[in-house]
Amino acid sequence: MDNLENTSEDKGLNFLCNLSDVEVVHSMTQLLLHALATASVDSTTGDMFKSPASVAIGMKTELSGYMSQRSETLVRQSMDGGEDHSDQLTKASSRPTEFLSDLIDEFVTSKRGMLSHVSGLFSSESRLNKIKDFMQKLETDNSWAQDERKATAWAILENIDSKGIFHCPERFDMPDKLAEHTSQCKFRILNCTNDGCVASFCAIHTEKHDAVCPFKLLPCEQLCEQHVMRSEMDKHCGTVCPMKLTNCPFFRIGCETAFPQCSLDNHCSRFLQTHLMYVVKVITRQGDCVNDMDQRLQLLEKVQSLNELAGALDVKALTLITKEQESKINKLERDLKAQETRMKKLENDLRSRK
């Protein structure tokens, strides 16, 4: 407010810090470009003699003047004690992009020609597509340069941001004082210091970026001794982390304990006797299985001897039964060999851990 009551020339403060929240200014510049495209399209819809491109230059000048004049008027009226604009001022000082969007809606509505209201040539979807296409054309042709839009956005922000939340209002009488301030200004641009990150941001957003930076090194979430990049944390915890939970090697034969994989040797040493008992139980079960297979083999041998009676019985049916039994015998023999192989592997593992 003081800047409106006392000019920089009166105070001799001719050196202005022109730093601001780059994210907010960028959003405002995009809104201005969209506003120009919308106003140009809407004002020429249904007009056979005009196109958006033919009115864009004049519309740009009018739009810039309207935005600056409306923002200045709002602040001046609030200072003069005129109409109550408290809600608008609150939005302007805390949510400048929303405030600018409201002003743009006013401007676009005022520029919407009568033909665009009554024309049936364009559906709502067609209108949006045409605005989008013309906005891309404006950007490609550089009809409203980024620097020029940025200057307009900054001027609007300076008018409405009375609390200096989104721009720096500081002025100085000497260039060296300005330089000293700029090096410490909360709106100065910083580069992320995390290795691999190329992001840049205002100093006021340092904590915000730090909270999401994928390159930031963090202590392992599973409390191992390593520091891992945020983007690699899930992969680390699920694969190479020494604190990742793993099952006991004897899980399939009875030990259902889970522990950090770095504790594998310690676990196997502590529970050696328990694991041996599991192995003995498996061997016993396999012995019972062998006995059962022996009994089945004896029974099959007896069945085979019935071949001598083939002349008195249905030879074809007996042959089918015999083949089926032989197939079962072969399967049992294979299962037995597989069990013996697994037992030898378990015994070798136990010997190596001793």
Side-chain angles (χ1 to χ4, degrees):
M1 302 299 181
D2 292 339
N3 288 340
L4 290 173
E5 296 174 354
N6 301 290
T7 64
S8 60
E9 288 79 6
D10 294 337
K11 292 185 175 182
L13 304 178
N14 299 317
F15 299 94
L16 169 66
C17 177
N18 59 359
L19 297 179
S20 60
D21 189 325
V22 292
E23 293 182 13
V24 172
V25 172
H26 176 72
S27 296
M28 293 176 71
T29 60
Q30 291 302 105
L31 283 173
L32 289 171
L33 186 64
H34 187 269
L36 176 58
T38 303
S40 299
V41 169
D42 284 354
S43 66
T44 57
T45 297
D47 192 332
M48 299 176 58
F49 304 101
K50 291 182 180 180
S51 66
S54 68
V55 302
I57 296 178
M59 192 69 70
K60 176 185 70 174
T61 303
E62 194 171 350
L63 173 62
S64 298
Y66 182 86
M67 295 294 108
S68 299
Q69 184 270 332
R70 286 286 288 117
S71 58
E72 289 176 1
T73 300
L74 175 65
V75 176
R76 188 171 289 109
Q77 286 178 345
S78 67
M79 290 177 56
D80 295 340
E83 298 179 28
D84 183 10
H85 297 284
S86 56
D87 291 341
Q88 286 182 293
L89 285 172
T90 299
K91 180 181 288 189
S93 60
S94 60
R95 304 187 301 280
T97 53
E98 291 185 27
F99 174 76
L100 179 60
S101 182
D102 291 343
L103 293 186
I104 287 172
D105 288 343
E106 292 177 9
F107 179 80
V108 169
T109 300
S110 69
K111 293 300 165 186
R112 190 170 296 160
M114 181 61 68
L115 290 175
S116 67
H117 284 288
V118 300
S119 176
L121 295 176
F122 300 104
S123 66
S124 178
E125 183 177 355
S126 297
R127 171 179 174 269
L128 293 176
N129 288 336
K130 192 168 185 181
I131 291 171
K132 180 180 178 182
D133 291 342
F134 189 57
M135 184 175 175
Q136 291 177 347
K137 176 177 173 55
L138 290 173
E139 212 159 14
T140 302
D141 296 343
N142 203 26
S143 301
W144 197 358
Q146 176 77 13
D147 289 344
E148 188 179 352
R149 279 184 286 136
K150 182 178 178 182
T152 301
W154 201 95
I156 297 171
L157 188 62
E158 185 181 23
N159 287 335
I160 64 178
D161 184 26
S162 58
K163 298 179 181 179
I165 299 175
F166 302 100
H167 85 294
C168 182
E170 295 294 332
R171 296 175 182 269
F172 302 90
D173 58 352
M174 298 294 291
D176 56 340
K177 292 183 179 179
L178 173 61
E180 181 182 356
H181 162 80
T182 302
S183 66
Q184 300 297 323
C185 181
K186 64 181 181 180
F187 294 106
R188 69 188 186 280
I189 299 299
L190 299 178
N191 295 317
C192 181
T193 58
N194 294 323
D195 190 23
C197 185
V198 296
S200 57
F201 41 83
C202 286
I204 57 173
H205 295 312
T206 300
E207 292 184 5
K208 176 183 174 182
H209 174 78
D210 188 68
V212 298
C213 179
F215 295 92
K216 182 178 175 61
L217 290 176
L218 300 172
C220 173
E221 293 177 353
Q222 295 179 156
L223 304 181
C224 79
E225 296 180 354
Q226 299 182 39
H227 280 66
V228 186
M229 285 195 303
R230 179 179 277 115
S231 60
E232 297 290 328
M233 185 65 72
D234 289 344
K235 180 180 178 181
H236 166 80
C237 292
T239 55
V240 300
C241 178
M243 295 302 290
K244 173 193 173 186
L245 290 180
T246 187
N247 290 325
C248 175
F250 298 93
F251 177 82
R252 293 184 178 276
I253 63 172
C255 184
E256 298 182 355
T257 306
F259 46 82
Q261 56 186 359
C262 61
S263 303
L264 174 62
D265 291 341
N266 181 51
H267 169 81
C268 291
S269 299
R270 288 180 58 195
F271 296 95
L272 178 61
Q273 296 298 325
T274 303
H275 295 157
L276 286 174
M277 289 179 60
Y278 288 134
V279 173
V280 170
K281 288 180 180 179
V282 170
I283 294 174
T284 302
R285 287 197 299 269
Q286 290 180 333
D288 294 339
C289 181
V290 171
N291 292 334
D292 181 61
M293 285 190 288
D294 286 341
Q295 294 176 6
R296 293 186 182 187
L297 285 172
Q298 292 174 9
L299 178 61
L300 290 173
E301 288 173 354
K302 291 180 180 179
V303 172
Q304 256 184 332
S305 66
L306 294 178
N307 285 332
E308 299 173 359
L309 303 176
L313 300 173
D314 185 348
V315 177
K316 183 177 180 180
L318 184 59
T319 301
L320 290 173
I321 293 173
T322 302
K323 288 182 178 179
E324 182 181 354
Q325 297 296 339
E326 287 178 352
S327 176
K328 291 182 178 179
I329 291 173
N330 292 334
K331 184 177 184 305
L332 289 170
E333 289 177 346
R334 289 195 300 270
D335 291 345
L336 180 59
K337 288 180 180 180
Q339 291 284 1
E340 290 176 350
T341 301
R342 284 196 291 271
M343 288 305 304
K344 288 180 180 180
K345 185 177 183 303
L346 288 171
E347 290 173 359
N348 291 334
D349 288 344
L350 288 171
R351 289 194 189 99
S352 65
R353 295 187 182 285
K354 290 181 180 180

